[in-house]
Amino acid sequence: MSNAAETVQEEEIDLAAANEVIDKYMDMHGALMPVLQDVQEAYGYIPEPCVHLIAERLNVYTSQIYGVLTFYAQFHLEPRGRYIVRVCMGTACHVKGAGRIADTLKERLGIGHAETTEDLKFTAEYVACIGACGMAPVIMVNDGTYGSMTVQKMDEVIAKYKAMD
Amino acid sequence: MVNLTIDGKQITVKKSATIYEAAKEAGIDIPVLCYAKKLLPYGACRICLVEVEQMKGRLIPSCTTPVTEGMVVKTTSPDITKVRKTVLEFLLVNHVVECPVCDKAGECDLQDLTFQYEVVKNRFEGEKFNLPTDEVNPLIERNMNRCVLCGKCVRVCDEIVGYGSYSFINRGFETKIATAFDRGLNCEFCGQCVSMCPVGAILPRPFKFKARPWQLSEVDTVCGYCGNGCTVTLGVLNDKVETIRFNDKTGVNDGNLCIRGRFGYGYIHHDDRLRKPLIRKDGQLVEAEWNEAIEAVVKGFNKAGNEKGLGILSGARMTNEELFLLKNLAKTLGTGNLDHSGGECYKGLTEGLMETLGVKASTGTFPQVESCDAILAIRSDFYETHPVFGMVVNQAVKRHDAQLFIVSDKKGKFSKLPHAKTLLGKPGTEIQILNSMAQVLLSEGLAVTDGVEGVEELKAALAKYAPADVAERTGVSVDAIKAAARALAGAKKSAILLAYGLPYAAHSKELAIAAANLSILTGNAGREGSGLYLCGEKSNSQGAIDLAILPEAGAMGAKDMLEAARNGNLSALYVVGEDLLTSYPDRDKVEAALKGLSFLVVQDIFLSPTAQQADVVLPASSFAEKDGTFTNAERRIQRVRKGVSSPGDAKTDFEIFELLSARFGRNISYTAPAAVFADIAANVAEYAGIQLDAVGPQGVVWGGDDLALKKKRVVAVDGPEAPQGDFLLVTGSSLYHSGTMSTRAKGSLSVVAEPYIEFGQEDAKKLQVTDGDVVTVKAEGGQIKLKAKVDRRLPQGVVFAPYHFASAEINRIYKGASAVAVELSK
Ligand code: SF4
Ligand code: SF4
Ligand code: SF4
Ligand code: FES
Ligand code: FES
């Protein structure tokens, strides 16, 4: 009940799905991880109001949940695009011009690492070696891998996903 | 017991000790960073490594390793020094070097160790952290560039405070301590994390750039706010209290404090402190000299004595010695009309307890509560009234798995403790719930009735409190009532906690009796390690009861005095350390009473609204300006020590009472409070045999840890129904404040600056109220406007407003009932 902190606008969001997930695991020991995973599954990311709800219902501090969320790379606190473009920044790709590929993505879509386009279509992520060094530089879009990327190929890939729903 | 050798010294310690603790007991210093006496062992920093002969080949963290028989430990060796140096070098890789401006210099463990181990160069190179400093809140500054990741702040906020502000976030090199969503700190601001941090990463902002630690002289005294009676250490420089420091060597609080104790001391040096006596001349209060003021008081009191008489109303923040003088002064003045804050509330409670248990104080001590199996907290969330006692309960639950039941009209931090059960009743129905628990005990044959008077009568009277009926009337489930009763009955050690004070005036006698009944029937009262805890609102509420600042037989208590004044049947009132207009229920009546008087004297440290009405105002001293004793809510008598002088001509209440007594022909010349204490010990049965010199760092608990009961008598009392209405207003304490005094303390104000009315989320939505909206509250023919706050803890239909703020005039509509049906509109 203090007025010491900056005010934070919470997004309005339907908590029904989150409540359902919590109901499912409520009595399970160590429910936090599965709850977080399923909530992410349901919303595509973990919205802040869900964190508060989980804290309240599972009786865990919000700070602890936040600790868990930032510890595991699998969790996302911001809405993510339908297409996750992973640009490899590993050594091989770096040498072969991953920087230029990332720049192209930024120029065309306006998103850098961990950023999402406003229409929630694309999210960019710079990652370490994805194990396809032979085809460097490499990007992945969701599960699809695209090797030997050039600026031109990059434009084609973007165009392809833009056209998709 | 275990025998071992440390650095060639033979020592014997208890089995549960760690090597670190054993060494400490033997006077051998091992450096630590992540260890703290009151926290669970952690072992993260590795600075405390030692060699154990039996575990050759590696170094052992002394803070987490238990001692074993025959262990041979070495705490210094070239190897150990080398490792410690390396640990420090690692810590200093990312740590910024800004010691010259760090307030922690001089008491920073990292700095001291760097000096001790002569770490002058670093073999490791790394980028220094460059994280922004959290300066969002006014009280606590967090600079994570200085953090050594010892986790003490995380642990204290979880283990002791139970708030859980922090956790480790991110991983690897990026790991840091942060709040949820890495925002600015917004918590209860108890400052425990400040006192735990071994480096300058978490600092108290109000103390910033005030003094270097070594410049301060330290004075151990007792917090002036609530009945918890925490010991605090004033850091004094140039006759000014600049800091309140953590001190785990004295008192019952283990160095724990709440926001009020740690940051709420600002009123001591407030510009508005009264410095000179004031006398009303031509309708105006004008400054005067002491003799003139005393003459005016003498004249007024004498005149009153010849007319309709005089009454005395006192607060409960004076020392025992002062209260003793006041009691005697009342005798000298020939009046038995004497009472302390709250009048009916305190008086009712004491009477209720006398009728049932024959004593008028808590029957156990605070530390005992930590090892209770079952705890019942009634009405108050102790985190708001007695926050540090709340921390004891927290540890009982978290460390010792105590079962916790809360009978209350709103949820609080207690409700969030693991497995806590909140018996959330409609406002004002606590007595019914307690009665119902008693009914369960009796009908299920769980009650202790041996040697108890009045059992049959009670049984008969409780017929209408069967759980099913009470559940219907109060909204608490049958199962919850039964479970609570059974748990209390089944506990080997239990604690029943009852907070009282001005905002809880209604039915206080009945509530005390209902709680005492339960305490008797569960075998709680008088049993070793168990107890009924009566927690007074103010620092010396218990002292005021012990010293009988209560009406003499046949004389008037607070309520009657005000009634008499209103009807022109009392001529004068002497108000000492209390702001009736702000804090007493029913402001209209208090106003009328003050108007009805022909002479009003107010003795206080500020020109409160009540003082503004006075004919004579006498400037008094704050707790930091006097010597004496307070008795806390567990009957612990503790020393209050003078740290600074009073502003201007202000005098201690002690001196003022002496002056007045002398003018009324009773020359008392005590050399010092110690002499008065001896007199108290001779006159107050409970204090008999206690000598002031014997009151050491832990104080002295009168009556012993387990207070012997004078009787066990259960008495039937009825509990009121909740008032009818769409919205019920309850008033009480807001954690950040205490009484009306903290509204002059910058620390408390910086968190809660103004009055407010709190809504639960559903109600806020329904009424379309959001934070900061001005809401009109109508009830009992009165109407006030308050700013709205929306939170998650209030049930639907209940609103809450703290009573501390004069400007809110809550007592225009709060007239002493437990809950007020109100109309709300935007
Ligand atoms: S001030 Fe108290 S409540 Fe706030 S973070 Fe520190 S320990 Fe926790
Ligand atoms: S902020 Fe202080 S107490 Fe908290 S982990 Fe860092 S060094 Fe330790
Ligand atoms: S207000 Fe009460 S709990 Fe807080 S520090 Fe003072 S005595 Fe302790
Ligand atoms: S460095 Fe890019 S795939 Fe290995
Ligand atoms: S003090 Fe022992 S590991 Fe930190």
Side-chain angles (χ1 to χ4, degrees), chain A residues 118-130:
Chain A
E118 260 176 38
D119 61 1
L120 292 185
K121 202 143 188 190
F122 294 97
T123 297
E125 257 171 27
Y126 303 164
V127 298
C129 180
I130 51 183

Side-chain angles (χ1 to χ4, degrees), chain B residues 565-604:
Chain B
R566 201 159 43 244
N567 299 329
N569 293 326
L570 186 73
S571 304
L573 203 55
Y574 181 21
V575 178
V576 191
E578 187 76 88
D579 181 6
L580 313 183
L581 277 177
T582 305
S583 64
Y584 269 42
D586 204 340
R587 191 179 180 113
D588 295 340
K589 271 195 177 169
V590 177
E591 268 172 6
L594 297 185
K595 282 215 182 75
L597 293 166
S598 55
F599 189 59
L600 173 65
V601 179
V602 174
Q603 179 167 319
D604 211 328

